[in-house]
Amino acid sequence: MNHLRYLRFVSPWLATLFVIALAAPANAGPRLRKLPPPPHHAVSVQLDIAAASIEVEDVITLKGGVGQLELAAHLEILSSEPELSALDGAPGDEGTVATVLLQPPAGTERVAIRYRGAYGSKQVDPRGRLADDARRPLGTIETDGLFLSGGSHWLPMMEGRPVTFELEVSGLPDGWHVISSGEGTSRDGEPARARWSTGVSMEQVYLVGGPLERYVDRFGEIETLAYFRKPEPVLAATYLETTAQYLEMYRQLLGEYPYEKFAMVENFWETGYGMPSFTVLGSRVVRFPFILHSSYPHELLHSYWGHAVGVDWETGNWSEGLTTYLGDHLIQEQRARGAEYRHDILKRYADYVERAEDFPLRDFRSRYDAETQAVGYGKTLMGFHMIRRLLGDRNFTGVLKSVYKVQRGRTMGFGDWRVAVEAPAPYDLGAFFKAWVDRPGAPVLEVEGVEVAGLGRGFRVTGTLKNTGAPWPLEVPITVTSGGEVTTNQIVRLHGESADFEILVETAPLRLDVDPEFDVFRRLDPQESAPSLGTLFGSSRSLAIVPDDSPRYRTIVDAWTGAGRAMETVEASQLKALPADRAVWILGAENPWAAKAGFGASRSVDGQRLPAGDASRVEVRRHPDRADLAVGWIWTDRDAAAPGLARKLPHYGKYSALGFVGDEPRNTAKVRAGRSDDSPLVIHVGSLLGQMGGLPDYVPESRAPLVKASAPF
C-alpha cells in the first residue's frame, strides 16, 4: 500500500497509529471518520450585475441518500425536476439568511432546479464586533464586486453534507473575473465565462469576483494567482513569489498542497477570509507589508486545516488555533521571536477574557470579538504548542504529516487529535485533553519556598511549584541562570495542586524563572508584563476623564462607548479621586489627572520626538493603586485626529506607548508591552547567597524553529 510505503520514512509508531485507526471498531471512541459520498452539483450561473441578481440552473446528483435541500427563501424557484416539496423554512442563526427546505421524493438520484433572485445588499452578521472585522457580509452583488458564501444559501445544499461541483458563470461584465474553489479559469472565451470544478468535497461553494487584474505563475503543478482591483505588477510579483515560498515550506512540514491552485483575491471591503484554494483580502489589508507574513500564510494553511481536513464542528473548531500556530507563530519563531509571540497570546487572554465569561474550546466555532479570538485562537494555539513540547519536534511534525495524509477528505475533532498524538506521548493524555478542551479558564502558577544550598561542589535549588484552583496537567519549564550566563533547564510535571522541584547547578545560581519562554497556557500575573492598550480595552468597566468643555476628546469617548464598552465619562474638575475599581482613560495634554497618575509631559515615544502642533501621543501605565488595572493617557494637537485615533487605537492592543502624526493620524513610533522582571515567577536566588547587585537578565533559550523558511522572506 502507498500508505505503508510513506510510513516507512516517518517512524514505526506512526505506522502503528495508521493501522489502529483504520482497524478501530465503531465503538472504539475517537477515530477517523469518512463522510458519506458527497452530492455533485453541475451549476450554471447567469449574472446580472445591474440588477444585482443571479439566475441558476443546478443539476444535483445525489449520493449517499436523499436529504433536505436548503435554499435562501428569497430566491424564486422557476422549475424543478422532479417536483420538490417545500417545507417550513428557518430564519437561521443570528445574522444568517432565511431559508426554505426542499424535499426531493424518496429514491431520487438526480434533481434539476432553476431559480433566480437578487443579492443587492450586504447581509451582515451583527456578531462582528472586532475592530478589524466589524461586518461580515454573507452575500452581495454590486458593481464593485460579487461575494456569495455558503452562508448566503445561494446554492441548494444538504446541511452537514459537503459537495463536489462543476461551475460555469456567464454574464461577466468587461474586465470582471469570478473565482471559486478548485481548478479552472476566472475568465475565458467570448462571451466571457468563468469555469471551476473540483472532485474534492467542499463544505461551501463560493462565488467571488469583480473588476480585477489577473496575475499568474506556477509552483510545480500548482497554479499561483493574484487578483488586484487595479494594476499592481510589483505587488503581484511579491505575492506570487511569497506564495511559492510558503507552498514549499508547508510541503516540507505537512505534505503536498491539496488543491490545483492558490489565489489571492483583493476584496471590495476589508476582509481576511480563507477558502479552499484561495483567500480574499481587503484593499487595505493586502497592502500592509506585515500581512504577507501573518494573515496570508494563515489563510493559505486553511487549505490544509479546515478544508482538506475538515472540522467536526460539534466538538469545537481546532483549525483556527492550528493554522495560527503553523502560520503567524511559526514565522515569528523563525525570527527568534516565538516566546515574544506566545507572551502576547497569553497577555491577550489575560486582558480580554474575564473568568466569569470564559468558555471551553468545545464551544468555539468562530471569532466575533476579542474574547472569542483570545480563547478560540490563542488557547488552541497554546494547546498545540504544549503537545509539541511534550512530544518533541520530530514526533510532532510526524503527527502533523500523518494526520494530514490519512484525514484528507474527512472531518476530525479534538478527540481524533488525542488519538493521533497519544501514540508517541510519554503517558495517557486523557486528563490533558479533558482540561484543555472541556474546561473553561486557565491555570495560575505560583512558586514558593525557594531555597539554595551549597553542596561542596555545586549548588542545589529547591522549591514548590503550585497550580492554584482546580489542578491542570502541566509540564512546566524552570530555568536557573548562573554566573557567565550559564543556564540549567528542567521540566516539572505539575499534575496536581503542587510539585516540589530540585535543580542542581555547578556554579552559584543567580536567578530562577518559571515558564520563562511562555510555553504553558496559563493566566499571566499582572506583574509579568507591562500594561498595554489591550489591558484597557479588555476591561469590563472603565472611566474616561475628559477636560472641561472639550469636544475634541468626547469624539473619542463617544466612539468607544458606542462600540458597546461600559464606559463612564466625567469632567476633570468633577472628579475627587482616581477610582481604584476600574480602568481609567485620561484625555488631554493639560488634564491635571495625568500628572496625578504618574505620567510625564514628554513629547517623545521610544526616543522619537513628536513634532509640535501636529502630533498625538498615547501612553499606558499601571494603575497606581492596583497592579491588575491600567491607566491610559491620550492627547492630540489636532481636532481632526480624534476620529482616527478612536478608530485605530483598538488595533494596537499589545503596545504601551504610541506616537502619531497628522490628521489621519499616521503611526510613527510605538513601544511594545514586553515581559517584566517584577513577575512573582522570577526569583532573585542570588540574594539568598548574599549576592550584591541587581537581578541579572534572563538568557533566552536557543531553539530551532519547527521548520526553516524555504527562502528568506
Side-chain angles (χ1 to χ4, degrees):
M1 291 177 60
N2 289 338
H3 297 302
L4 296 179
R5 184 169 65 248
Y6 163 81
L7 290 167
R8 284 205 303 269
F9 295 98
V10 185
S11 62
W13 66 261
L14 279 177
T16 302
L17 165 65
F18 183 78
V19 173
I20 290 174
L22 290 185
N27 60 354
R31 62 193 184 279
L32 303 175
R33 296 183 301 277
K34 191 168 181 66
L35 296 170
H40 181 78
H41 292 247
V43 188
S44 297
V45 180
Q46 176 69 40
L47 290 178
D48 187 339
I49 302 302
S53 69
I54 54 172
E55 184 168 324
V56 180
E57 182 173 353
D58 184 12
V59 179
I60 309 169
T61 303
L62 299 173
K63 304 174 183 178
V66 179
Q68 295 170 356
L69 300 169
E70 193 171 8
L71 186 66
H74 74 277
L75 297 175
E76 178 189 3
I77 297 175
L78 303 175
S79 65
S80 65
E81 178 60 42
E83 187 174 349
L84 305 177
S85 302
L87 308 177
D88 289 339
D93 296 331
E94 182 182 17
T96 62
V97 180
T99 59
V100 63
L101 300 178
L102 306 173
Q103 179 65 59
T108 300
E109 297 182 353
R110 180 181 178 277
V111 172
I113 179 173
R114 280 199 320 122
Y115 54 92
R116 66 185 175 197
Y119 282 91
S121 61
K122 297 183 178 73
Q123 290 125 352
V124 177
D125 184 343
R127 295 175 299 180
R129 298 193 295 272
L130 284 170
D132 61 343
D133 192 18
R135 46 184 197 153
R136 295 182 171 191
L138 302 166
T140 182
I141 302 173
E142 306 177 21
T143 56
D144 282 343
L146 161 72
F147 183 90
L148 294 177
S149 70
S152 70
H153 296 285
W154 74 275
L155 197 67
M157 292 178 61
M158 299 180 197
E159 184 177 2
R161 291 281 299 277
V163 300
T164 58
F165 66 87
E166 51 190 296
L167 173 68
E168 181 177 280
V169 184
S170 57
L172 277 63
D174 290 344
W176 268 58
H177 290 262
V178 173
I179 301 95
S180 189
S181 302
E183 183 179 19
T185 178
S186 57
R187 185 181 180 92
D188 188 33
E190 190 60 45
R193 283 175 165 79
R195 297 181 178 88
W196 298 99
S197 64
T198 178
V200 178
S201 60
M202 305 282 180
E203 288 188 351
Q204 300 185 44
V205 181
Y206 295 90
L207 281 185
V208 174
L212 297 164
E213 295 285 334
R214 176 178 178 269
Y215 301 88
V216 62
D217 202 346
R218 297 200 73 84
F219 175 73
E221 298 299 313
I222 303 165
E223 187 176 41
T224 57
L225 301 112
Y227 292 88
F228 288 92
R229 294 180 62 77
K230 62 181 182 180
E232 290 276 14
V234 175
L235 187 57
T238 300
Y239 267 93
L240 293 174
E241 179 183 5
T242 305
T243 301
Q245 293 173 359
Y246 284 130
L247 288 171
E248 172 58 21
M249 185 172 79
Y250 292 126
R251 184 193 66 80
Q252 295 176 32
L253 180 63
L254 303 172
E256 297 297 333
Y257 177 75
Y259 302 113
E260 300 86 355
K261 74 162 189 307
F262 187 77
M264 192 292 298
V265 183
E266 180 183 347
N267 203 10
F268 53 107
W269 78 94
E270 297 309 317
T271 56
Y273 296 154
M275 289 78 164
S277 77
F278 70 104
T279 183
V280 180
L281 302 178
S283 294
R284 284 189 299 163
V285 172
V286 78
R287 289 169 176 82
F288 289 144
F290 61 84
I291 291 297
L292 278 163
H293 309 303
S294 57
S295 298
Y296 190 59
H298 178 107
E299 304 306 346
L300 186 151
L301 273 165
H302 270 309
S303 287
Y304 286 88
W305 306 118
H307 295 314
V309 179
V311 175
D312 180 357
W313 297 101
E314 295 302 313
T315 66
N317 179 2
W318 51 265
S319 71
E320 294 294 358
L322 183 57
T323 51
T324 305
Y325 187 62
L326 301 180
D328 311 56
H329 176 274
L330 175 57
I331 290 165
Q332 293 307 311
E333 186 179 42
Q334 291 169 344
R335 297 170 175 175
R337 299 175 188 163
E340 182 179 287
Y341 186 90
R342 292 189 295 275
H343 169 270
D344 289 346
I345 289 290
L346 296 181
K347 188 174 188 309
R348 187 178 183 90
Y349 177 84
D351 285 344
Y352 289 102
V353 182
E354 297 189 7
R355 289 172 171 82
E357 298 178 356
D358 207 345
F359 60 92
L361 290 184
R362 66 166 183 260
D363 293 339
F364 175 66
R365 301 296 179 266
S366 64
R367 70 166 190 168
Y368 54 86
D369 58 15
E371 178 187 338
T372 51
Q373 183 178 26
V375 176
Y377 288 58
K379 186 174 183 177
T380 309
L381 178 153
M382 290 299 298
F384 279 108
H385 180 71
M386 290 188 291
I387 290 171
R388 170 191 171 184
R389 297 286 293 166
L390 181 67
L391 302 186
D393 285 7
R394 183 176 180 181
N395 283 339
F396 183 69
T397 55
V399 167
L400 294 177
K401 289 178 179 178
S402 178
V403 167
Y404 171 62
K405 187 172 183 68
V406 174
Q407 284 279 39
R408 282 177 61 174
R410 310 169 191 257
T411 63
M412 65 185 300
F414 282 111
D416 302 305
W417 277 108
R418 177 189 167 189
V419 170
V421 302
E422 268 193 332
Y427 52 80
D428 183 278
L429 296 182
F432 174 83
F433 271 85
K434 185 172 181 59
W436 176 34
V437 177
D438 294 336
R439 281 173 55 185
V444 177
L445 299 182
E446 294 180 359
V447 61
E448 61 181 29
V450 176
E451 297 180 352
V452 181
L455 300 177
R457 297 184 62 182
F459 297 83
R460 178 174 59 217
V461 182
T462 58
T464 301
L465 192 61
K466 300 188 70 176
N467 189 351
T468 66
W472 295 69
L474 301 173
E475 309 293 318
V476 182
I478 297 182
T479 297
V480 174
T481 304
S482 303
E485 296 189 344
V486 175
T487 59
T488 303
N489 302 307
Q490 183 167 308
I491 302 296
V492 177
R493 185 176 180 183
L494 180 61
H495 285 209
E497 294 181 357
S498 65
D500 296 331
F501 61 86
E502 177 183 88
I503 303 173
L504 302 179
V505 297
E506 294 182 356
T507 57
L510 305 176
R511 171 184 179 130
L512 181 144
D513 289 79
V514 175
D515 191 28
E517 301 284 309
F518 305 101
D519 291 310
V520 175
F521 176 70
R522 57 191 174 86
R523 186 172 286 276
L524 291 180
D525 186 277
Q527 300 278 47
E528 285 193 77
S529 56
S532 66
L533 282 170
T535 313
L536 286 157
F537 283 120
S539 181
S540 60
R541 296 181 63 204
S542 59
L543 177 73
I545 309 172
V546 298
D548 295 10
D549 302 321
S550 178
R552 172 186 300 177
Y553 296 106
R554 287 190 178 274
T555 300
I556 298 175
V557 175
D558 290 346
W560 289 344
T561 303
R565 295 179 177 89
M567 179 178 288
E568 299 178 36
T569 305
V570 63
E571 291 188 345
S573 62
Q574 298 174 346
L575 193 65
K576 303 302 181 184
L578 204 65
D581 62 345
R582 70 196 71 185
V584 178
W585 294 93
I586 300 171
L587 298 100
E590 306 303 324
N591 195 317
W593 287 99
K596 294 177 183 179
F599 294 105
S602 173
R603 292 188 68 90
S604 297
V605 175
D606 197 25
Q608 300 181 41
R609 184 165 180 81
L610 301 174
D614 193 34
S616 305
R617 188 175 185 276
V618 183
E619 185 179 350
V620 183
R621 300 175 63 90
R622 293 193 196 282
H623 195 291
D625 299 317
R626 279 185 57 175
D628 61 330
L629 294 178
V631 180
W633 183 32
I634 305 172
W635 58 257
T636 180
D637 294 328
R638 307 181 68 83
D639 289 346
L645 288 172
R647 184 179 70 254
K648 292 186 175 185
L649 289 183
H651 293 270
Y652 289 86
K654 60 188 175 185
Y655 296 99
S656 59
L658 298 164
F660 296 86
V661 173
D663 291 344
E664 183 181 348
R666 177 173 54 89
N667 177 245
T668 58
K670 51 182 176 259
V671 176
R672 194 187 192 100
R675 62 185 300 150
S676 169
D677 284 342
D678 293 337
S679 166
L681 299 183
V682 177
I683 307 297
H684 191 345
V685 292
S687 65
L688 302 178
L689 296 174
Q691 181 207 30
M692 305 298 290
L695 186 69
D697 291 336
Y698 169 72
V699 181
E701 184 180 344
S702 177
R703 297 181 185 175
L706 198 58
V707 63
K708 293 182 179 179
S710 59
F713 290 124

